[in-house]
């Protein structure tokens, strides 16, 4: 058994770079002990929104429901993976892992190959909910209308498949990190109570799961990346995992981007909710993670502590929420607010007078000011967006778009819209739920070259724990804020990085003090961390994000990472597919917060 397992990633979402699988299989990474290829290649294709998309696919075709791009990649690269001895583990099975495994077998047969293909199933609870044979928590909701309902399975089904000799493993809704934890558990023989090792692998999986976000993608310090990042595609990350669960993050030679303590931190704080990461196999204590730059494009991650997993499994539920549509008006030059008020009143009056009535939701964006004395017409213009949602498609169809378009010659001066009227589109609503473990059967099916299938049921963890009150881990509030003396008004991002994202209807913002690049000052780093952790309170976040003024805000210190994790409850409404917000996935929220002005002590600059 090798003392290091090299695991790479080739996909962070359904639609990622199609050539990445071949790039990762052909590339090598040169470390202290020479160049190496991969042992395992993972691909993450699922997100909460993706499950909704696949659910719609399955409504049209019951044989669909998996990530079709993965099948195209496998057709191109399966022979290369087998030749190089690289095992492929992916959650591309989506809502139909058995169907994807069957199609993979057909592809392999057509290529003259005979791999062992395994699929992991048991996560899909939608039929059981409709039949009333399984109950979700909370129980005060009608879950029978779910389009999709999938429990987040753990890593030991993948480990079972690999232990049985599988060359390719496809899963449904396992956790993203399980794609890395499973191979590591199989390789090192970890048992279900080796919590520190499992937790370390969970962190490795979390770093890898979003692909090039760990090597400079969506990174607020992109100006510090090597110049070739502008012309060379960013490399996908590789984790060199050790038997104790520690690992080194790196990337293949000759690929774009960089691996630094900051790029890794950016992914670590992405889409987390507290300083505890509650997975199906282990609870990972994120405040124990330690990073160390150990070479160019090499960051060592160690010290991760784990504890028993929660007693229930999380379930991602999507329901069809109704129909949506939108129109964007262009407002140019002077009197922007008055122009916006006029067209809003005209549209609303028309909708109120319609026989169908006003849609259930009519949301208007804020316009903001145009550039004074603008040198171009575009910079003198702002957009006003009207978004409507309703259970009745007709209310958000022609009745809505006509109310806007028919004003073309009878409204504000310079009337224009950005696109022709569109037909309404269906939208879904995501709900997080929980299910008792006994209601889920975690099943692995391994298909041999002869077509014979071996089925195994993965046992539940030997011990679990009740999820405690994590309020104790939050930053105390009120908390002494720095006194505004001898300060300068500066953007928060002067030396603070950010990464933000969505967790259902909640938004998360990770903020940390730069540890590399032009914004880093080693002599002032510790003082800057102290300043940041004192500055960021729930009340300060509500000041920086006025939309959060009436929302619950949680702040969790992450001292080893030199920052904090912020969770803004309900900022995204009912989630990405139903949100009427300008940035429904909160991808740019962190960058907006970095641009906000705060008082910074002179001694920190």
């Amino acid at each position: 058994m090798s003392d290091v397992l090299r695991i790479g990633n080739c996909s962070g979402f359904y639609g990622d770079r199609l050539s990445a699988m071949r790039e990762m299989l052909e590339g090598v990474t040169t470390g202290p002990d020479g160049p190496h290829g991969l042992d395992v290649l993972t691909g993450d294709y699922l997100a909460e929104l993706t499950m909704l998309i696949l659910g719609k696919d399955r409504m049209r075709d019951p044989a669909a429901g998996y990530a079709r791009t993965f099948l195209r990649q496998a057709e191109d690269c399966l022979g290369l993976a087998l030749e190089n001895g690289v095992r492929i583990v992916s959650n591309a099975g989506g809502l139909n892992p058995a169907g994807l495994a069957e199609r993979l077998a057909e592809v392999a047969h057509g290529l003259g190959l005979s791999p062992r293909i395994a699929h992991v199933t048991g996560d899909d609870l939608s039929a059981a909910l409709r039949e009333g044979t399984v109950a979700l928590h909370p129980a005060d909701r009608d879950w029978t209308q779910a389009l999709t309902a999938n429990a987040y399975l753990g890593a030991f089904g993948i480990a079972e498949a690999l232990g049985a000799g599988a060359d390719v493993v496809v899963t449904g809704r396992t956790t993203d990190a399980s794609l890395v934890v499973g191979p590591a558990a199989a390789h090192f023989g970890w048992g279900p109570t080796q919590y520190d090792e499992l937790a370390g692998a969970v962190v490795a999986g979390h770093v890898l799961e979003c692909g090039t976000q760990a090597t400079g993608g969506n990174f607020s310090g992109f100006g510090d990346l090597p110049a070739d990042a502008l012309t060379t595609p960013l490399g996908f990350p590789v984790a060199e995992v050790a038997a104790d669960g520690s690992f080194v993050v790196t990337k293949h030679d000759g690929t774009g981007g960089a691996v630094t303590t900051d790029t890794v931190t950016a992914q670590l704080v992405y889409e987390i909710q507290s300083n505890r990461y509650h997975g199906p196999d282990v609870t990972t204590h994120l405040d124990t993670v330690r990073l160390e730059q150990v070479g160019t494009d090499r960051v060592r991650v160690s010290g991760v502590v784990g504890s028993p997993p929660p007693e229930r499994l999380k379930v991602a539920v999507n329901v069809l929420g109704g129909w949506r549509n939108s129109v964007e008006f262009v407002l140019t030059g002077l009197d922007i607010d008055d122009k916006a008020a006029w067209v809003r009143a005209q549209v609303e009056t028309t909708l109120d007078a319609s026989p169908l009535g006003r849609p259930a939701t009519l949301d208007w964006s804020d316009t903001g000011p145009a550039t004074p004395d603008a040198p171009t017409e575009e910079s003198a213009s702002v957009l006003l967006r009207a978004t409507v949602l309703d259970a009745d498609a007709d209310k958000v169809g022609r009745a809505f778009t006509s109310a806007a378009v028919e004003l073309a010659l009878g409204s504000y001066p310079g009337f224009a819209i950005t696109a022709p009227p569109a037909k309404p589109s269906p939208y879904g609503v995501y709900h997080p739920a929980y299910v008792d473990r006994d209601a889920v059967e975690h099943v692995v099916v391994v298909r041999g070259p002869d077509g014979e299938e071996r089925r195994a049921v993965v046992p539940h963890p030997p011990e679990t724990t009740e999820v405690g009150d994590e309020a104790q881990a939050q930053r105390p509030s009120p908390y002494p804020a720095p006194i505004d003396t001898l300060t300068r008004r500066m953007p928060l991002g002067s030396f603070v990085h950010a990464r933000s994202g969505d967790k259902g209807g909640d938004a998360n913002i990770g903020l940390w003090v730069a540890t590399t690049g032009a914004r880093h000052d080693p002599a002032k780093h510790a003082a800057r961390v102290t300043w940041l952790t004192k500055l960021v309170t729930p009340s300060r976040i509500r000041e920086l994000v006025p939309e959060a003024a009436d929302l619950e805000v949680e702040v969790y210190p992450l001292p080893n990472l030199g920052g904090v994790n912020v969770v803004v409850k309900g900022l995204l409404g009912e989630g990405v597919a139903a949100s009427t917000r300008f940035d429904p996935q909160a991808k740019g929220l962190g960058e907006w917060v970095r641009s906000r002005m705060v008082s910074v002590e002179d001694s920190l600059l």
Side-chain angles (χ1 to χ4, degrees), residues 54-134:
L54 295 177
K56 293 177 182 177
D57 287 348
R58 192 171 60 173
M59 288 176 67
R60 291 187 291 266
D61 178 6
Y66 53 80
R68 289 168 291 184
T69 52
F70 173 78
L71 195 63
R72 291 171 57 192
Q73 291 172 306
E75 187 170 11
D76 176 53
C77 299
L78 183 56
L80 178 60
L82 294 172
E83 180 182 343
N84 291 351
V86 179
R87 302 166 101 173
I88 297 175
V89 180
S90 171
N91 60 16
L95 300 175
N96 189 8
L100 177 56
E102 183 67 29
R103 291 288 289 116
L104 282 171
E106 294 172 4
V107 166
H109 180 75
L111 295 171
L113 304 172
S114 301
R116 288 184 179 272
I117 299 172
H119 68 272
V120 179
T121 187
D123 60 298
D124 192 343
L125 304 178
S126 54
L129 285 177
R130 287 191 292 270
E131 295 164 0
T133 57
V134 67

Side-chain angles (χ1 to χ4, degrees), residues 139-184:
D140 58 352
R141 185 187 295 272
D142 180 10
W143 299 108
T144 62
Q145 302 304 308
L147 173 64
T148 69
N150 297 80
Y152 285 83
L153 301 182
F156 282 95
I158 296 170
E160 172 73 23
L162 294 172
D167 300 298
V168 181
V169 183
V170 293
T171 77
R173 183 64 284 185
T174 57
T175 65
D176 300 339
S178 291
L179 303 178
V180 170
V181 180

Side-chain angles (χ1 to χ4, degrees), residues 29 64 66 76 99 115 118 148 166 168 193 222 265 285 350 360 382 405 457-458 461 465 502 504 512-513 535 580 585:
T29 299
Y66 53 80
D76 176 53
T148 69
V168 181
T193 59
F222 67 95
T265 298
H285 298 235
T350 302
V382 298
V405 174
V457 176
V458 179
T465 186
D502 62 303
W512 75 99
V513 175
L535 175 78
T580 60
Q585 291 183 283

Side-chain angles (χ1 to χ4, degrees), residues 318-337:
N318 283 293
V319 299
L320 290 178
W323 300 83
R324 67 182 296 156
N325 209 340
S326 63
V327 172
E328 280 189 331
F329 301 90
V330 182
L331 312 176
T332 304
L334 303 177
D335 307 318
I336 294 294
D337 290 343

